[in-house]
Amino acid sequence: MKCLVNLAGSAAIASVLMVSGCFNSDNKLSSVSESDVIANMANIAGAMYSDSLTDAKTLKTKIDTFVASPTEETLESAREAYKDMRVAYQQSEIFRWDEESGVAGEGTGADDGKGVVSVDSWEGQVNAWPLDEAAIDGIISSSAEISKGYLIAQNGIGGDANVTTGIHAIEYLLWGLDTNKVGKGTGERPATDYDKVNCSVGHCARRGEYLSTAAALLVSDLDAMANEWTEMAQATSGTLANNFINSSKALDYVVTAMQQMSGPELAGARMSVNLDSAGQEEDHDCFSDLSHVAIYHNFQGIKAVFSGDYLGATPKSGAGINDLVSRKSSTTSSDLNKAFDAIEGNMKIVFDAGESGTRFDHVSALGKGNAVFDAATQVVNDLTALTVSGGLYDDMEAALSVSNVSVSEGEG
């Protein structure tokens, strides 16, 4: 069964409907091999990073327009572009943990033209979270030259939360602090924070310079990563794609990623911490209140590698983990599909609530008995159940004969 849906654009995000049972797919090929799955995983990674790069370029264009002409309309357009970018990028996070799985590239860094070392090492410059906004405000109020190199050098100085680059830095600059706690409302940064003539809070020109520079850096970082997964890269020694395709641990890498994203990351750091603490700052996209978009598409990334279908702007469909599992254990395959369908249903409740105004940082205050809170809690429970000892992921590992799959604490 195929279920290809184009998820690009805010209108499409709002109308996503994943039909129950959609991923209860028959084997796509009568004789799927491990190499078929690995090849398709590389193609999916390439499509996800390419789509993320396209979205980042659009975001940069919208940001540059806003900085040049700071109005509420151009600010809102930039914010919409930020939201759109969360779709493909969040799915691409399934390809983290390459160092942990023993699959990594041979480059020396994203910013030197020689290739990316690993997704693990690269990700901290692109999507580090949580973020202490004081580090950004300090740079803006200083006299330091704002450049890509300077923002990179300052990223994480004095503490991991001193994030100065990447997606969440841009988010903060577009929305500002959300002071509503668990009440409804996002950050309310006015366009006049960037108005050089009628500056509302000071340093408007430098704030605009910072925002434009951060957006340009995001584009260059995603360009470096996308280049690691092209068809040409797959055939080029030393690239991430080539290392992955030729690694004896490629399947271990994918299954490790499913474990990590399902348990420590999504169920743990990105959902249960917020639900348990009712802490607004624990919200993954805490300035924009778009965490429902982020976590929903993290889950779509898990399902993409399981099914072999990426449903983005550049859709890919081929052999997935499920095709291998189903050949070894039809019971495990069936049970995993049922589990994913149940999670999808509850995740969709959380997503739809977010689109309707009940954002994820509000959910913790709703309490047991509320449909959205109960759905979110069930997602956490079901994702966790997949990863515990004796859970379905253990059964998946056994069916695939993979080993050295470890689950550690999520890093955000």
Side-chain angles (χ1 to χ4, degrees):
M1 182 186 299
K2 300 293 183 182
C3 241
L4 294 181
V5 181
N6 189 314
L7 300 185
S10 294
I13 294 174
S15 63
V16 170
L17 278 173
M18 304 300 288
V19 179
S20 179
C22 174
F23 283 83
N24 287 325
S25 56
D26 297 328
N27 285 353
K28 299 178 181 68
L29 304 172
S30 59
S31 57
V32 171
S33 68
E34 181 175 324
S35 61
D36 291 328
V37 174
I38 293 168
N40 191 42
M41 295 300 100
N43 290 336
I44 287 174
M48 287 178 175
Y49 288 123
S50 177
D51 287 349
S52 296
L53 174 59
T54 297
D55 294 340
K57 288 178 177 178
T58 300
L59 175 59
K60 181 183 182 301
T61 297
K62 298 288 188 180
I63 283 174
D64 288 346
T65 298
F66 165 62
V67 171
S69 178
T71 67
E72 293 302 323
E73 290 74 22
T74 55
L75 175 57
E76 184 58 30
S77 181
R79 288 171 172 173
E80 285 297 316
Y82 172 91
K83 180 180 179 181
D84 289 347
M85 199 202 152
R86 299 306 273 157
V87 177
Y89 184 81
Q90 291 304 107
Q91 292 179 76
S92 78
E93 287 201 276
I94 193 62
F95 291 104
R96 292 171 54 188
W97 302 289
D98 51 347
E99 288 180 349
E100 180 172 337
S101 303
V103 180
E106 298 174 359
T108 57
D111 59 332
D112 65 359
K114 298 181 181 179
V116 181
V117 177
S118 70
V119 182
D120 280 331
S121 63
W122 170 89
E123 196 269 346
Q125 187 166 296
V126 175
N127 194 43
W129 169 85
L131 178 151
D132 184 346
E133 61 281 351
I136 293 174
D137 289 339
I139 292 174
I140 290 173
S141 63
S142 76
S143 59
E145 178 184 1
I146 296 174
S147 65
K148 290 182 184 179
Y150 184 74
L151 297 188
I152 292 169
Q154 294 301 305
N155 195 40
I157 295 295
D160 290 343
N162 291 333
V163 176
T164 57
T165 67
I167 292 169
H168 293 292
I170 292 171
E171 180 197 8
Y172 169 64
L173 288 165
L174 288 175
W175 272 272
L177 287 175
D178 179 359
T179 59
N180 297 289
K181 303 301 180 184
V182 294
K184 290 187 177 182
T186 66
E188 299 176 350
R189 186 187 295 282
T192 51
D193 277 11
Y194 291 85
D195 192 326
K196 301 176 186 66
V197 177
N198 298 301
C199 187
S200 55
V201 293
H203 309 294
C204 284
R206 285 182 60 82
R207 186 170 295 104
E209 186 180 358
Y210 194 124
L211 178 56
S212 292
T213 302
L217 177 58
L218 179 61
V219 169
S220 62
D221 282 341
L222 281 164
D223 183 62
M225 182 56 75
N227 283 335
E228 292 285 330
W229 294 93
T230 63
E231 289 186 12
M232 181 180 294
Q234 291 183 26
T236 302
S237 178
T239 64
L240 297 186
N242 187 268
N243 278 35
F244 169 67
I245 290 171
N246 291 291
S247 173
S248 62
K249 295 185 177 181
L251 276 188
D252 298 74
Y253 171 30
V254 177
V255 174
T256 295
M258 291 178 68
Q259 289 260 17
Q260 293 285 56
M261 183 54 76
S262 296
E265 284 291 335
L266 190 49
R270 304 187 183 200
M271 293 188 70
S272 65
V273 171
N274 181 275
L275 290 170
D276 293 344
S277 70
Q280 188 267 338
E281 288 298 328
E282 302 295 344
D283 192 25
H284 192 225
D285 286 47
C286 68
F287 308 113
S288 63
D289 278 1
L290 291 175
S291 293
H292 65 287
V293 176
I295 61 178
Y296 180 81
H297 289 98
N298 276 152
F299 180 60
Q300 299 311 311
I302 297 169
K303 291 178 67 176
V305 297
F306 179 70
S307 69
D309 295 329
Y310 167 55
L311 313 178
T314 308
K316 297 291 181 182
S317 183
I321 294 295
N322 184 44
D323 293 288
L324 294 179
V325 174
S326 64
R327 284 172 46 199
K328 301 290 186 178
S329 173
S330 59
T331 298
T332 300
S333 172
S334 176
D335 288 347
L336 281 166
N337 275 288
K338 289 176 183 177
F340 285 142
D341 284 341
I343 295 167
E344 174 70 47
N346 283 313
M347 190 69 93
K348 189 62 169 53
I349 291 172
V350 176
F351 177 86
D352 286 344
E355 291 293 276
S356 299
T358 303
R359 302 298 177 88
F360 194 65
D361 66 335
H362 313 159
V363 173
S364 59
L366 299 175
K368 186 176 180 180
N370 175 274
V372 181
F373 179 89
D374 290 347
T377 301
Q378 194 61 51
V379 166
V380 170
N381 292 340
D382 289 348
L383 284 170
T384 302
L386 290 174
T387 66
V388 297
S389 178
L392 283 174
Y393 279 174
D394 274 1
D395 295 339
M396 178 172 64
E397 291 171 36
L400 296 176
S401 299
V402 298
S403 58
N404 299 319
V405 178
S406 61
V407 178
S408 61
E409 293 301 315
E411 297 177 357

